Every structure is written in C-alpha cells, then in structure tokens.
Amino acid sequence: MPSFSSSLSCPTYRSCTSSAPFFSNHHSSSLINGDLRRSLSFLSSSPQKLNLDELTCVRSQRKSLQSSVVVQDGAVATKSSSAEELKLTIPSLEEDKVAIESDGGGNQSTVSITVVGASGDLAKKKIFPALFALYYEGCLPEHFTIFGYARSKMTDGELRDMVSKTLTCRIDKRANCGEKIEEFLKRCFYHTGQYDSQEHFVALDKKLKEHEGGRISNRLFYLSIPPNIFVDAVKCASSSASSIKGWTRVIVEKPFGRDSQTSAALTKSLKQYLEEDQIFRIDHYLGKELVENLSVLRFSNLIFEPLWSRQYIRNVQFIFSEDFGTEGRGGYFDNYGIIRDIMQNHLLQILALFAMETPVSLDAEDIRNEKVKVLRSMRPIQLEDVVIGQYKSQTTGGVTYPGYTDDKTVPKGSLTPTFAAAALFIDNARWDGVPFLMKAGKALNTRSTEIRVQFRHVPGNLYNRNSGSDLDRTTNELVIRVQPNEAIYLKINNKVPGLGMRLDRSNLNLLYSTRYSKEIPDAYERLLLDAIEGERRLFIRSDELDAAWALFTPLLKELEEKKTIPESYPYGSRGPVGAHYLAAKHKVQWGDLSHDQ
Ligand SMILES: NC(=O)C1=CN([C@@H]2O[C@H](COP(=O)(O)OP(=O)(O)OC[C@H]3O[C@@H](n4cnc5c(N)ncnc54)[C@H](OP(=O)(O)O)[C@@H]3O)[C@@H](O)[C@H]2O)C=CC1
Ligand SMILES: O=C1O[C@H](COP(=O)(O)O)[C@@H](O)[C@H](O)[C@H]1O
C-alpha cells in the first residue's frame, strides 16, 4: 500500500474501496471475477481520471489477482471467463505512473481531517482517540494533518494537551506508544472559529493549504456539533474550505432530524452544498466488529443462510441495554428519547443487515440497495406493539440513583421514554409473520447489545420428553453479543454424560477474547478509515434514512399526540414489565432474561 505509511499493521486490502477484495488472502473465483470486472470497467472507462489512491488500489489489486488472471498486451481475462467478454484495455503500470505525475501536485496527495466541534464530548471521547489508533496502526496516509475547529479559544498546544489526555495505546500494542503519541500530536492543530462564519472558514482554508504544501489535497470534515448548526457548518466548509483538486467529504453525526419531515429538510439543505456521495452519515453501530461480521457469518457459512428465513426462525431480538442513565446528556436526550436515539438508527440498521437478501456484491450500493428493500417492506409499527418506559430513582446499598426527571436539564414531568420495546414485521416472502423484537433502555441492570435468533421447534422431536415442559426454551438460539465480551454462541441441546438420558442446554461458544488475541478496534476507527478511503458501505444513504423515518414517524407522532405515559421502572432494574407482555403477545420470551442466557 505505497501511499500509506504501512510500517505497522493496517490491513492492506483496505486501501481498495469499491473493488476491495472480500478476504485479504483467499478469494473465491466468483468474487474475483466480480471485483475484476468492476476494476476493469472502472479502469477502461476513465483512466485519466484516476487519482493516486485509486491507482495504488488498482495496482495492488492487480498484484493480488495475478494468480487468477492472464495479462496479455494490456488486455486482461480471467481464466474462468471468456477472453471475448473481458477484452478490456487497461493502462500499463508505466501509464499509471504518467497519470500520477501529470496530476499536478507531484506524486503525493494529502488528507486533511477537520474535526468541527473539537472541544466537545464526542471529539475527545471518540474521534481523536480513533484517529490516533489509525495513526498508530499505519492506516493514515503519509501526509495528513488534523485540525480541531470550534468556537472555544485554544492554541495548538492547548488542543494537544486536551487530546493527549484521551489517547491510549492498545493493550497488545504498547511498543513506542509515547513516541507515537508525540508524533501524532505534532500533526494536530487548532483553529478557533464560528460555525457560520465564511471568514473563519476562509482562514481555516488558508491554514490547511499551508499544511498541504501544494499536494493534491483531500479534505474530510467531521461534524461533531449539535444538529442545529450542521447546515451552517457545511455551507461554510463547502464554500470556503473545500478542496479544489482532491475530494471533500463530510461525516455527519446523528441525529439526522427528528422525523421524516425534519430529516428530509436536513438532507435537502445539505444537498444544496454537497453531493450525496460526499455525505457520510455515520451510525457508529455499523462500525462495530460483530455487526460487520454479521454478513460474513451468514453469507460465508453454509450452515446459516439456508436457515435464515421464516421456515426455521421463530423470532429475532435486537436488545440494547445501558446500566447508566442520561447523566450529562439529558438536554439532548429529552428532545429525542430512546426510540430516536437507539431504535430508529442503531437497532434498525442492524435489523436491515440481518434481514436483507443476498446483495449482488459487497459494493456499498449493492448492500445499501438490499437494506432499503428490507426497510421498505416493513409494516408500519402499531402503537399496541410498543411499550415505553422511563426510569425512576432507586436506592440500593445506601446509594441513591437519580430518576430521569431528577436530571436538572430534563423538564419536570417529561414523558420522554428512556426505555422502549417494539414488535416489528417484514412483509416479504422470507420473513412473513416472524416477529422482530427490539428492546432498548437506559439505566437498566446491565450494559449489553445483542442479536438473538430463536429457531423453531424440532418437528416430531424424539427427545421432547427429556427436555422439560417449556419447548420454547429448548429450541436452538444463536446469540451475537455485539458488546461487551464480544461473542457468537449457539445454544444446543446436549446429552448430559452418564448412563441416563437427560438433556441440557449447552453453548457452542466463540468468545472473541479467547479466540483472538488482537484487541478489537473501536467502531469510530473503522468508520473514519472508511470515510478517508471513500468506502460508503457502512454509512447511511439518504433513501435508507427516509425509509427508516417513514417507519418510525407515525408511531412517534402518535405517542406524542396521545401524550402516552411511560411505564416507570427503577434505575438498575430489568425494565418495565410491559415488555414481557408485549413479547408474550407475540409468543416470544426475551432471550436475555432467560436463566441460561
Ligand atoms: N457524545 C456522544 O457520545 C455522542 C454524540 N453524538 C452526536 O455527535 C455530535 C457531537 O456530540 P457532542 O460532542 O456530545 O456535543 P457537544 O454538546 O459536546 O458539542 C460539541 C461542540 O459543539 C459546540 N456547541 C455546543 N453547543 C452549541 C451550540 N448551541 N451552538 C454552537 N455550538 C455549540 C461546542 O464547542 P464550542 O463552544 O467550542 O464551539 C461543543 O464543544 C452531536 O450531533 C451528537 O448528537 C452521537 C453519538 C454519541
Ligand atoms: O448513539 C448513541 O450511542 C450511545 C451508545 O453507544 P455505545 O457504542 O457506547 O454502545 C448511547 O449511549 C447514546 O445515548 C446514543 O446517542
């Protein structure tokens, strides 16, 4: 990966974007053919337009495909495809070189990352640490600069002090950590400015140019600011600080509106200044390792995909629990509530990935097309299929935990739900009649996110007599524990060793911490790297967003218009009992509450 400082372990296949091979080492011939076709048509259509990264990518892909392609006089064919079909001419490596060198800024490009809202919580907690982790792993380009931008007055030194307090090295990567931190901080700068001031963004642009040193500049803006100022900042960044020769991309944080109408208005405003392919709407759950693994699990293991339908699956559960309240974020939260904060985005995105049909390829557009189809096939959510709750104060062990409305930033008497459970349905051939249950709550007894797949009963099971009376509890269950203690386990029935015939439930367990020694990267690392590389697969396209809001907006409106009173539950409990009744109505038992979770 020549354009990246790859002295450490940034995985090389990542440098390729839309045509990235699926696996770094082993390619199935069909994937190779698909990737190769895309590379070839991409190359033959506009070789003169390739930038350095694209050329680098194609070159490295060409290398990795050497064993399966026949290259003759600039024409390429796969061994398994007809030469006629693939008679496409691609530029030779020499021609690539000319293309790079004639590209104005010499043979190197640079990436400038501006964290807008750099003084804030998310920037400190997630963005700067993720950028450092990428730097440590050798995943950032050789030439990069990071700028913090916010209204707070700070010098470069003060920003570096602030950032340095949040940086840590992975447990398995401590070598030269201090040195790496120092090197990284030297690449971080700060610019004070208002979010709606063209003048201040012009000044930022000037500083960026100084750092870019005449190279082809690619610019990434991360909007880590409250949503009411997204459009101001985008307007100024795009008109006064976007790149002239390279790309300009903007990562937009949630919330993307409060409902269909406000979301559409936000999209419309953003599109006044940006093309859709410049907008990277982030849902950090899509960057989590086990969410990313969902498609691998399903599409690369023969044993799962044939079972992935109403024929074998009884219900699917998406469960998000936090063991802390809205402490410190009550002001934001009260305007949104748990349905908008977690369900409409994080859980729904996971559901769409879980339930989609096999995409044509792993290209971003193919995957997002399938996700949209799932979302658009979903039945409108009925109020009677929803339970909402709000936590109240609880004293245990002499400690008093505050109720939601005890938070000073929350209006007294607020009806905003901090817990919700819902039953959703996908009205298509694969999933007809299968309840997809969601449950999300703050201030519960545990912190965890899981996907639970409960399979149907074994027809004519010879061992029913040995399994106890609750047959639902003896069906197979596949659990994907997204966090913490990442794991995938399958509950099976097993004979207890001995002379008798007693069955018990056991787990076939893939616990990541015992299987893999490498620390799991934070979701923001993956997503930032994807944005830098132009990989859109894990970002939300505007039609996905529209479909997601279309599903939830009528429900949210009804809850608000009817002033539905949330059921209260004590801080640190398992949530309101209404969630059990909802599940029971759909003949489901929550998997996370069973005795053998
Ligand atoms: N924090 C989190 O865990 C998560 C946050 N998000 C989203 O990320 C974005 C940033 O979140 P977070 O860092 O928590 O936000 P903050 O409230 O910390 O705001 C970030 C920065 O924006 C500036 N700012 C705050 N309020 C205003 C205002 N009313 N007008 C103008 N500027 C303001 C402040 O910088 P200054 O005063 O220096 O200009 C502040 O440091 C938000 O969209 C949020 O919804 C998403 C998921 C999780
Ligand atoms: O987007 C959000 O996510 C966090 C939970 O993220 P996690 O990665 O720590 O699980 C949640 O606390 C917050 O309310 C929400 O806005």
Side-chain angles (χ1 to χ4, degrees):
M1 204 165 57
S3 69
F4 282 23
S5 56
S6 51
S7 57
L8 287 150
S9 56
C10 188
T12 50
Y13 65 88
R14 293 205 55 119
S15 67
C16 295
T17 55
S18 60
S19 51
F22 185 24
F23 296 109
S24 46
N25 298 320
H26 311 286
H27 310 284
S28 77
S29 64
S30 62
L31 278 168
I32 285 176
N33 289 346
D35 287 334
L36 184 61
R37 279 199 188 89
R38 280 190 299 282
S39 297
L40 290 174
S41 53
F42 168 59
L43 268 170
S44 59
S45 62
S46 58
Q48 70 285 5
K49 286 191 188 148
L50 303 184
N51 66 28
L52 175 68
D53 291 344
E54 287 162 341
L55 284 164
T56 305
C57 165
V58 169
R59 279 177 179 171
S60 69
Q61 188 163 61
R62 207 183 269 158
K63 266 193 208 153
S64 75
L65 293 173
Q66 265 167 2
S67 60
S68 44
V69 298
V70 183
V71 182
Q72 281 178 336
D73 303 330
V76 181
T78 63
K79 280 178 179 163
S80 56
S81 311
S82 87
E84 273 307 300
E85 188 191 347
L86 290 167
K87 256 191 194 156
L88 297 163
T89 304
I90 61 169
S92 66
L93 292 185
E94 265 318 296
E95 284 166 317
D96 289 354
K97 201 164 151 247
V98 173
I100 297 169
E101 283 167 0
S102 64
D103 213 355
N107 62 356
Q108 282 169 332
S109 59
T110 174
V111 173
S112 301
I113 302 159
T114 304
V115 182
V116 182
S119 55
D121 180 56
L122 187 72
K124 281 185 252 185
K125 215 170 56 185
K126 294 289 184 183
I127 304 172
F128 284 109
L131 288 169
F132 171 64
L134 290 177
Y135 175 70
Y136 190 100
E137 298 273 355
C139 289
L140 292 182
E142 189 182 339
H143 297 285
F144 77 92
T145 308
I146 296 173
F147 258 85
Y149 185 102
R151 298 171 308 177
S152 304
K153 294 226 177 324
M154 254 193 272
T155 61
D156 293 341
E158 284 163 343
L159 174 86
R160 288 171 190 164
D161 275 352
M162 181 193 92
V163 170
S164 68
K165 294 194 182 87
T166 70
L167 303 184
T168 52
C169 284
R170 296 201 206 296
I171 295 160
D172 57 344
K173 295 263 175 65
R174 291 207 177 274
N176 307 327
C177 183
E179 230 173 86
K180 285 277 166 194
I181 290 181
E182 284 308 311
E183 287 169 20
F184 173 78
L185 291 173
K186 283 188 193 144
R187 315 281 285 264
C188 295
F189 302 87
Y190 185 74
H191 186 74
T192 306
Q194 299 292 327
Y195 302 106
D196 58 355
S197 164
Q198 296 285 4
E199 195 191 329
H200 295 168
F201 275 85
V202 167
L204 171 72
D205 181 62
K206 193 160 165 262
K207 285 192 185 167
L208 291 176
K209 282 193 179 120
E210 282 163 23
H211 287 273
E212 289 160 355
R215 298 181 184 91
I216 299 165
S217 70
N218 295 310
R219 293 187 180 173
L220 178 66
F221 292 87
Y222 194 129
L223 298 192
S224 183
I225 45 179
N228 57 320
I229 46 176
F230 284 169
V231 178
D232 286 342
V234 163
K235 181 179 175 185
C236 294
S238 76
S239 357
S240 303
S242 62
S243 167
I244 307 293
K245 279 195 185 159
W247 49 254
T248 301
R249 298 178 186 144
V250 179
I251 298 181
V252 185
E253 262 295 347
K254 64 173 249 253
F256 315 118
R258 288 188 82 249
D259 52 27
S260 291
Q261 211 186 350
T262 49
S263 167
L266 175 64
T267 299
K268 193 170 166 209
S269 303
L270 292 177
K271 286 191 179 173
Q272 278 181 273
Y273 308 106
L274 299 169
E275 297 298 326
E276 173 66 23
D277 68 2
Q278 293 180 280
I279 306 173
F280 286 67
R281 296 179 192 84
I282 199 166
D283 182 317
H284 76 280
Y285 265 66
L286 290 182
K288 294 203 184 253
E289 187 64 39
L290 271 85
V291 175
E292 173 82 324
N293 191 42
L294 199 50
S295 298
V296 178
L297 186 71
R298 180 178 164 197
F299 296 124
S300 76
N301 291 294
L302 184 68
I303 59 167
F304 292 118
E305 179 54 18
L307 305 181
W308 224 252
S309 73
R310 64 190 300 277
Q311 207 176 343
Y312 296 104
I313 292 179
R314 197 157 42 100
N315 68 75
V316 189
Q317 305 175 14
F318 301 89
I319 303 172
F320 167 97
S321 323
E322 274 183 345
D323 56 1
F324 49 90
T326 57
E327 290 95 326
R329 289 188 78 213
Y332 150 81
F333 191 87
D334 200 66
N335 195 25
Y336 291 90
I338 199 80
I339 297 178
R340 292 183 177 94
D341 193 45
I342 303 293
M343 282 187 167
Q344 180 271 348
N345 38 65
H346 304 327
L347 296 189
L348 189 65
Q349 282 295 322
I350 302 177
L351 182 153
L353 269 181
F354 179 95
M356 70 183 181
E357 296 299 312
T358 312
V360 174
S361 77
L362 291 166
D363 275 6
E365 299 323 320
D366 288 332
I367 293 175
R368 299 193 294 185
N369 287 346
E370 294 308 327
K371 283 167 64 198
V372 172
K373 284 189 212 160
V374 173
L375 298 177
R376 294 184 52 208
S377 304
M378 294 185 77
R379 200 183 296 168
I381 307 168
Q382 304 301 312
L383 191 57
E384 55 271 24
D385 279 339
V386 176
V387 169
I388 57 170
Q390 192 185 83
Y391 64 88
K392 61 177 187 195
S393 166
Q394 163 88 330
T395 303
T396 33
V399 183
T400 299
Y401 296 91
Y404 174 66
T405 51
D406 297 334
D407 184 333
K408 295 211 170 9
T409 57
V410 171
K412 292 283 157 239
S414 165
L415 297 179
T416 300
T418 58
F419 175 99
L424 295 90
F425 292 88
I426 305 171
D427 286 335
N428 66 13
R430 186 185 285 268
W431 297 114
D432 191 9
V434 177
F436 283 79
L437 295 193
M438 282 184 184
K439 186 165 69 161
K442 291 196 174 268
L444 294 172
N445 61 330
T446 185
R447 175 178 174 257
S448 123
T449 302
E450 295 175 338
I451 306 164
R452 288 180 171 262
V453 188
Q454 297 189 340
F455 290 90
R456 291 195 182 278
H457 300 163
V458 175
N461 189 345
L462 291 174
Y463 292 99
N464 273 353
R465 266 187 328 135
N466 311 72
S467 306
S469 55
D470 186 351
L471 289 187
D472 281 3
R473 285 286 179 216
T474 62
T475 61
N476 297 119
E477 184 171 352
L478 174 68
V479 182
I480 298 164
R481 193 160 64 220
V482 175
Q483 65 183 29
N485 303 326
E486 290 80 352
I488 300 172
Y489 56 95
L490 180 64
K491 292 190 192 175
I492 58 159
N493 297 308
N494 200 51
K495 177 181 171 300
V496 178
L499 297 178
M501 178 50 73
R502 198 162 58 80
L503 304 193
D504 79 356
R505 298 265 278 162
S506 295
N507 289 347
L508 299 180
N509 195 354
L510 170 58
L511 182 62
Y512 273 47
S513 59
T514 53
R515 173 69 183 86
Y516 302 106
S517 53
K518 203 172 168 341
E519 209 174 306
I520 295 175
D522 188 77
Y524 284 86
E525 291 172 40
R526 188 189 312 280
L527 295 168
L528 271 160
L529 185 55
D530 278 353
I532 292 168
E533 295 187 345
E535 170 59 81
R536 294 171 179 79
R537 190 167 45 91
L538 300 178
F539 293 89
I540 319 291
R541 208 169 60 187
S542 67
D543 55 345
E544 279 186 84
L545 185 60
D546 294 345
W549 276 123
L551 191 61
F552 278 95
T553 297
L555 167 76
L556 289 162
K557 285 215 155 36
E558 203 175 342
L559 283 168
E560 280 156 14
E561 274 160 22
K562 291 193 170 147
K563 297 196 185 339
T564 311
I565 296 173
E567 201 178 318
S568 55
Y569 61 97
Y571 194 119
S573 69
R574 293 174 164 216
V577 287
H580 299 273
Y581 294 120
L582 174 69
K585 179 177 146 191
H586 294 286
K587 303 192 174 50
V588 177
Q589 299 180 47
W590 291 107
D592 62 323
L593 302 181
S594 78
H595 63 279
D596 66 342
Q597 301 176 36

